[in-house]
PDB file of all heavy atoms in Angstrom:
ATOM      1  N   LYS A   1    -142.610 -62.607   5.173  1.00 97.00           N
ATOM      2  CA  LYS A   1    -143.536 -62.452   6.282  1.00 97.00           C
ATOM      3  C   LYS A   1    -143.560 -61.019   6.870  1.00 97.00           C
ATOM      4  O   LYS A   1    -144.452 -60.687   7.639  1.00 97.00           O
ATOM      5  CB  LYS A   1    -143.183 -63.458   7.385  1.00 97.00           C
ATOM      6  CG  LYS A   1    -143.254 -64.884   6.915  1.00 97.00           C
ATOM      7  CD  LYS A   1    -142.850 -65.798   8.069  1.00 97.00           C
ATOM      8  CE  LYS A   1    -142.941 -67.287   7.650  1.00 97.00           C
ATOM      9  NZ  LYS A   1    -142.514 -68.181   8.686  1.00 97.00           N
ATOM     10  N   LEU A   2    -142.558 -60.199   6.520  1.00 98.00           N
ATOM     11  CA  LEU A   2    -142.337 -58.925   7.196  1.00 98.00           C
ATOM     12  C   LEU A   2    -143.463 -57.909   6.926  1.00 98.00           C
ATOM     13  O   LEU A   2    -143.996 -57.288   7.838  1.00 98.00           O
ATOM     14  CB  LEU A   2    -141.019 -58.362   6.880  1.00 98.00           C
ATOM     15  CG  LEU A   2    -140.581 -57.083   7.625  1.00 98.00           C
ATOM     16  CD1 LEU A   2    -140.667 -57.258   9.140  1.00 98.00           C
ATOM     17  CD2 LEU A   2    -139.174 -56.637   7.179  1.00 98.00           C
ATOM     18  N   PRO A   3    -143.851 -57.648   5.650  1.00 97.00           N
ATOM     19  CA  PRO A   3    -144.905 -56.654   5.412  1.00 97.00           C
ATOM     20  C   PRO A   3    -146.202 -56.949   6.089  1.00 97.00           C
ATOM     21  O   PRO A   3    -146.859 -55.986   6.626  1.00 97.00           O
ATOM     22  CB  PRO A   3    -145.052 -56.659   3.889  1.00 97.00           C
ATOM     23  CG  PRO A   3    -143.710 -57.017   3.394  1.00 97.00           C
ATOM     24  CD  PRO A   3    -143.198 -58.072   4.374  1.00 97.00           C
ATOM     25  N   ARG A   4    -146.632 -58.229   6.199  1.00 96.00           N
ATOM     26  CA  ARG A   4    -147.892 -58.542   6.877  1.00 96.00           C
ATOM     27  C   ARG A   4    -147.685 -58.219   8.366  1.00 96.00           C
ATOM     28  O   ARG A   4    -148.654 -57.696   9.002  1.00 96.00           O
ATOM     29  CB  ARG A   4    -148.235 -60.031   6.688  1.00 96.00           C
ATOM     30  CG  ARG A   4    -149.557 -60.363   7.416  1.00 96.00           C
ATOM     31  CD  ARG A   4    -149.843 -61.840   7.233  1.00 96.00           C
ATOM     32  NE  ARG A   4    -150.257 -62.212   5.879  1.00 96.00           N
ATOM     33  CZ  ARG A   4    -151.527 -62.155   5.435  1.00 96.00           C
ATOM     34  NH1 ARG A   4    -152.502 -61.763   6.277  1.00 96.00           N
ATOM     35  NH2 ARG A   4    -151.815 -62.495   4.214  1.00 96.00           N
ATOM     36  N   ARG A   5    -146.566 -58.513   8.917  1.00 96.00           N
ATOM     37  CA  ARG A   5    -146.345 -58.222  10.337  1.00 96.00           C
ATOM     38  C   ARG A   5    -146.318 -56.732  10.597  1.00 96.00           C
ATOM     39  O   ARG A   5    -146.863 -56.254  11.604  1.00 96.00           O
ATOM     40  CB  ARG A   5    -145.014 -58.825  10.799  1.00 96.00           C
ATOM     41  CG  ARG A   5    -144.859 -58.881  12.324  1.00 96.00           C
ATOM     42  CD  ARG A   5    -143.601 -59.614  12.740  1.00 96.00           C
ATOM     43  NE  ARG A   5    -143.508 -59.663  14.159  1.00 96.00           N
ATOM     44  CZ  ARG A   5    -142.404 -60.014  14.825  1.00 96.00           C
ATOM     45  NH1 ARG A   5    -141.250 -60.315  14.140  1.00 96.00           N
ATOM     46  NH2 ARG A   5    -142.360 -59.993  16.148  1.00 96.00           N
ATOM     47  N   LEU A   6    -145.743 -55.927   9.717  1.00 97.00           N
ATOM     48  CA  LEU A   6    -145.723 -54.494   9.862  1.00 97.00           C
ATOM     49  C   LEU A   6    -147.107 -53.899   9.708  1.00 97.00           C
ATOM     50  O   LEU A   6    -147.417 -52.912  10.390  1.00 97.00           O
ATOM     51  CB  LEU A   6    -144.733 -53.887   8.877  1.00 97.00           C
ATOM     52  CG  LEU A   6    -143.263 -54.186   9.100  1.00 97.00           C
ATOM     53  CD1 LEU A   6    -142.441 -53.783   7.851  1.00 97.00           C
ATOM     54  CD2 LEU A   6    -142.732 -53.490  10.326  1.00 97.00           C
ATOM     55  N   ALA A   7    -147.902 -54.431   8.812  1.00 93.00           N
ATOM     56  CA  ALA A   7    -149.236 -53.889   8.569  1.00 93.00           C
ATOM     57  C   ALA A   7    -150.188 -54.291   9.668  1.00 93.00           C
ATOM     58  O   ALA A   7    -151.253 -53.624   9.846  1.00 93.00           O
ATOM     59  CB  ALA A   7    -149.769 -54.401   7.210  1.00 93.00           C
ATOM     60  N   SER A   8    -149.824 -55.299  10.435  1.00 93.00           N
ATOM     61  CA  SER A   8    -150.667 -55.784  11.616  1.00 93.00           C
ATOM     62  C   SER A   8    -150.384 -54.865  12.768  1.00 93.00           C
ATOM     63  O   SER A   8    -149.214 -54.581  13.113  1.00 93.00           O
ATOM     64  CB  SER A   8    -150.331 -57.208  11.966  1.00 93.00           C
ATOM     65  OG  SER A   8    -150.707 -57.509  13.231  1.00 93.00           O
ATOM     66  N   LYS A   9    -151.407 -54.363  13.411  1.00 92.00           N
ATOM     67  CA  LYS A   9    -151.205 -53.551  14.648  1.00 92.00           C
ATOM     68  C   LYS A   9    -150.480 -54.278  15.725  1.00 92.00           C
ATOM     69  O   LYS A   9    -149.627 -53.779  16.433  1.00 92.00           O
ATOM     70  CB  LYS A   9    -152.544 -53.006  15.108  1.00 92.00           C
ATOM     71  CG  LYS A   9    -153.346 -52.224  14.123  1.00 92.00           C
ATOM     72  CD  LYS A   9    -152.567 -51.080  13.505  1.00 92.00           C
ATOM     73  CE  LYS A   9    -153.429 -50.312  12.518  1.00 92.00           C
ATOM     74  NZ  LYS A   9    -152.665 -49.273  11.731  1.00 92.00           N
ATOM     75  N   GLN A  10    -150.848 -55.552  15.887  1.00 93.00           N
ATOM     76  CA  GLN A  10    -150.167 -56.392  16.886  1.00 93.00           C
ATOM     77  C   GLN A  10    -148.762 -56.694  16.530  1.00 93.00           C
ATOM     78  O   GLN A  10    -147.838 -56.600  17.329  1.00 93.00           O
ATOM     79  CB  GLN A  10    -150.979 -57.708  17.133  1.00 93.00           C
ATOM     80  CG  GLN A  10    -150.361 -58.529  18.200  1.00 93.00           C
ATOM     81  CD  GLN A  10    -151.250 -59.680  18.612  1.00 93.00           C
ATOM     82  OE1 GLN A  10    -152.426 -59.767  18.272  1.00 93.00           O
ATOM     83  NE2 GLN A  10    -150.741 -60.585  19.452  1.00 93.00           N
ATOM     84  N   GLY A  11    -148.559 -57.053  15.240  1.00 95.00           N
ATOM     85  CA  GLY A  11    -147.194 -57.371  14.828  1.00 95.00           C
ATOM     86  C   GLY A  11    -146.301 -56.196  14.905  1.00 95.00           C
ATOM     87  O   GLY A  11    -145.128 -56.302  15.350  1.00 95.00           O
ATOM     88  N   LEU A  12    -146.788 -55.009  14.563  1.00 96.00           N
ATOM     89  CA  LEU A  12    -145.982 -53.773  14.673  1.00 96.00           C
ATOM     90  C   LEU A  12    -145.632 -53.495  16.143  1.00 96.00           C
ATOM     91  O   LEU A  12    -144.520 -53.136  16.463  1.00 96.00           O
ATOM     92  CB  LEU A  12    -146.700 -52.600  14.043  1.00 96.00           C
ATOM     93  CG  LEU A  12    -146.039 -51.238  14.171  1.00 96.00           C
ATOM     94  CD1 LEU A  12    -144.662 -51.238  13.486  1.00 96.00           C
ATOM     95  CD2 LEU A  12    -146.869 -50.156  13.563  1.00 96.00           C
ATOM     96  N   HIS A  13    -146.616 -53.598  16.999  1.00 95.00           N
ATOM     97  CA  HIS A  13    -146.331 -53.339  18.438  1.00 95.00           C
ATOM     98  C   HIS A  13    -145.286 -54.293  18.962  1.00 95.00           C
ATOM     99  O   HIS A  13    -144.382 -53.856  19.714  1.00 95.00           O
ATOM    100  CB  HIS A  13    -147.687 -53.514  19.223  1.00 95.00           C
ATOM    101  CG  HIS A  13    -147.496 -53.311  20.715  1.00 95.00           C
ATOM    102  ND1 HIS A  13    -147.295 -52.136  21.274  1.00 95.00           N
ATOM    103  CD2 HIS A  13    -147.433 -54.227  21.738  1.00 95.00           C
ATOM    104  CE1 HIS A  13    -147.194 -52.208  22.566  1.00 95.00           C
ATOM    105  NE2 HIS A  13    -147.246 -53.478  22.906  1.00 95.00           N
ATOM    106  N   GLU A  14    -145.397 -55.611  18.563  1.00 96.00           N
ATOM    107  CA  GLU A  14    -144.356 -56.541  19.027  1.00 96.00           C
ATOM    108  C   GLU A  14    -142.977 -56.174  18.520  1.00 96.00           C
ATOM    109  O   GLU A  14    -141.993 -56.357  19.260  1.00 96.00           O
ATOM    110  CB  GLU A  14    -144.799 -57.952  18.590  1.00 96.00           C
ATOM    111  CG  GLU A  14    -146.017 -58.442  19.321  1.00 96.00           C
ATOM    112  CD  GLU A  14    -146.580 -59.725  18.726  1.00 96.00           C
ATOM    113  OE1 GLU A  14    -146.089 -60.085  17.595  1.00 96.00           O
ATOM    114  OE2 GLU A  14    -147.488 -60.330  19.251  1.00 96.00           O
ATOM    115  N   LEU A  15    -142.878 -55.742  17.244  1.00 98.00           N
ATOM    116  CA  LEU A  15    -141.596 -55.364  16.730  1.00 98.00           C
ATOM    117  C   LEU A  15    -141.048 -54.120  17.458  1.00 98.00           C
ATOM    118  O   LEU A  15    -139.833 -53.982  17.660  1.00 98.00           O
ATOM    119  CB  LEU A  15    -141.740 -55.065  15.200  1.00 98.00           C
ATOM    120  CG  LEU A  15    -141.767 -56.268  14.304  1.00 98.00           C
ATOM    121  CD1 LEU A  15    -142.195 -55.900  12.881  1.00 98.00           C
ATOM    122  CD2 LEU A  15    -140.427 -57.010  14.302  1.00 98.00           C
ATOM    123  N   CYS A  16    -141.913 -53.179  17.754  1.00 97.00           N
ATOM    124  CA  CYS A  16    -141.498 -51.957  18.494  1.00 97.00           C
ATOM    125  C   CYS A  16    -140.925 -52.380  19.850  1.00 97.00           C
ATOM    126  O   CYS A  16    -139.868 -51.878  20.271  1.00 97.00           O
ATOM    127  CB  CYS A  16    -142.680 -51.029  18.658  1.00 97.00           C
ATOM    128  SG  CYS A  16    -143.169 -50.154  17.139  1.00 97.00           S
ATOM    129  N   VAL A  17    -141.635 -53.283  20.542  1.00 97.00           N
ATOM    130  CA  VAL A  17    -141.122 -53.702  21.880  1.00 97.00           C
ATOM    131  C   VAL A  17    -139.746 -54.385  21.678  1.00 97.00           C
ATOM    132  O   VAL A  17    -138.815 -54.175  22.513  1.00 97.00           O
ATOM    133  CB  VAL A  17    -142.145 -54.666  22.546  1.00 97.00           C
ATOM    134  CG1 VAL A  17    -141.551 -55.263  23.793  1.00 97.00           C
ATOM    135  CG2 VAL A  17    -143.407 -53.881  22.878  1.00 97.00           C
ATOM    136  N   GLU A  18    -139.649 -55.250  20.700  1.00 97.00           N
ATOM    137  CA  GLU A  18    -138.424 -56.022  20.415  1.00 97.00           C
ATOM    138  C   GLU A  18    -137.263 -55.116  20.192  1.00 97.00           C
ATOM    139  O   GLU A  18    -136.139 -55.468  20.589  1.00 97.00           O
ATOM    140  CB  GLU A  18    -138.684 -56.978  19.272  1.00 97.00           C
ATOM    141  CG  GLU A  18    -137.464 -57.878  18.903  1.00 97.00           C
ATOM    142  CD  GLU A  18    -137.818 -58.785  17.769  1.00 97.00           C
ATOM    143  OE1 GLU A  18    -138.996 -58.988  17.462  1.00 97.00           O
ATOM    144  OE2 GLU A  18    -136.848 -59.269  17.119  1.00 97.00           O
ATOM    145  N   HIS A  19    -137.450 -54.009  19.467  1.00 98.00           N
ATOM    146  CA  HIS A  19    -136.374 -53.179  19.025  1.00 98.00           C
ATOM    147  C   HIS A  19    -136.251 -51.824  19.786  1.00 98.00           C
ATOM    148  O   HIS A  19    -135.528 -50.941  19.335  1.00 98.00           O
ATOM    149  CB  HIS A  19    -136.452 -52.944  17.524  1.00 98.00           C
ATOM    150  CG  HIS A  19    -136.268 -54.210  16.692  1.00 98.00           C
ATOM    151  ND1 HIS A  19    -135.061 -54.808  16.538  1.00 98.00           N
ATOM    152  CD2 HIS A  19    -137.190 -54.966  16.059  1.00 98.00           C
ATOM    153  CE1 HIS A  19    -135.263 -55.907  15.771  1.00 98.00           C
ATOM    154  NE2 HIS A  19    -136.481 -56.027  15.522  1.00 98.00           N
ATOM    155  N   GLY A  20    -137.059 -51.690  20.829  1.00 97.00           N
ATOM    156  CA  GLY A  20    -136.930 -50.494  21.634  1.00 97.00           C
ATOM    157  C   GLY A  20    -137.448 -49.219  21.003  1.00 97.00           C
ATOM    158  O   GLY A  20    -136.987 -48.130  21.270  1.00 97.00           O
ATOM    159  N   ILE A  21    -138.490 -49.365  20.161  1.00 98.00           N
ATOM    160  CA  ILE A  21    -139.123 -48.204  19.544  1.00 98.00           C
ATOM    161  C   ILE A  21    -140.369 -47.841  20.348  1.00 98.00           C
ATOM    162  O   ILE A  21    -141.222 -48.728  20.625  1.00 98.00           O
ATOM    163  CB  ILE A  21    -139.564 -48.555  18.067  1.00 98.00           C
ATOM    164  CG1 ILE A  21    -138.328 -48.914  17.260  1.00 98.00           C
ATOM    165  CG2 ILE A  21    -140.214 -47.359  17.480  1.00 98.00           C
ATOM    166  CD1 ILE A  21    -137.272 -47.803  17.132  1.00 98.00           C
ATOM    167  N   ALA A  22    -140.504 -46.605  20.709  1.00 98.00           N
ATOM    168  CA  ALA A  22    -141.626 -46.148  21.553  1.00 98.00           C
ATOM    169  C   ALA A  22    -142.946 -46.302  20.739  1.00 98.00           C
ATOM    170  O   ALA A  22    -142.984 -46.002  19.539  1.00 98.00           O
ATOM    171  CB  ALA A  22    -141.449 -44.706  21.981  1.00 98.00           C
ATOM    172  N   SER A  23    -143.961 -46.770  21.398  1.00 96.00           N
ATOM    173  CA  SER A  23    -145.270 -46.935  20.809  1.00 96.00           C
ATOM    174  C   SER A  23    -146.348 -46.869  21.960  1.00 96.00           C
ATOM    175  O   SER A  23    -145.952 -47.081  23.075  1.00 96.00           O
ATOM    176  CB  SER A  23    -145.428 -48.235  20.057  1.00 96.00           C
ATOM    177  OG  SER A  23    -145.333 -49.309  20.908  1.00 96.00           O
ATOM    178  N   PRO A  24    -147.567 -46.531  21.640  1.00 95.00           N
ATOM    179  CA  PRO A  24    -148.565 -46.451  22.705  1.00 95.00           C
ATOM    180  C   PRO A  24    -148.736 -47.802  23.404  1.00 95.00           C
ATOM    181  O   PRO A  24    -148.672 -48.846  22.774  1.00 95.00           O
ATOM    182  CB  PRO A  24    -149.842 -46.025  21.971  1.00 95.00           C
ATOM    183  CG  PRO A  24    -149.376 -45.383  20.697  1.00 95.00           C
ATOM    184  CD  PRO A  24    -148.114 -46.089  20.342  1.00 95.00           C
ATOM    185  N   THR A  25    -149.050 -47.757  24.677  1.00 94.00           N
ATOM    186  CA  THR A  25    -149.392 -49.000  25.440  1.00 94.00           C
ATOM    187  C   THR A  25    -150.583 -49.649  24.757  1.00 94.00           C
ATOM    188  O   THR A  25    -151.603 -48.996  24.479  1.00 94.00           O
ATOM    189  CB  THR A  25    -149.654 -48.667  26.890  1.00 94.00           C
ATOM    190  OG1 THR A  25    -148.504 -48.036  27.433  1.00 94.00           O
ATOM    191  CG2 THR A  25    -149.956 -49.909  27.671  1.00 94.00           C
TER     192      THR A  25
END
C-alpha cells in the first residue's frame, strides 16, 4: 500500500505530518 500512498498528494502530506517532515500547508 505504501507506493500508492506516497504518490498521492494527500497520502504524502499525511505521512509528513505523522513523521514530522516539513511540507507546505
Side-chain angles (χ1 to χ4, degrees):
K1 298 178 181 178
L2 185 56
R4 181 181 288 271
R5 193 175 182 195
L6 292 167
S8 160
K9 304 304 181 187
Q10 182 168 351
L12 177 60
H13 178 74
E14 291 169 350
L15 282 169
C16 287
V17 172
E18 181 180 340
H19 295 286
I21 301 297
S23 64
T25 302

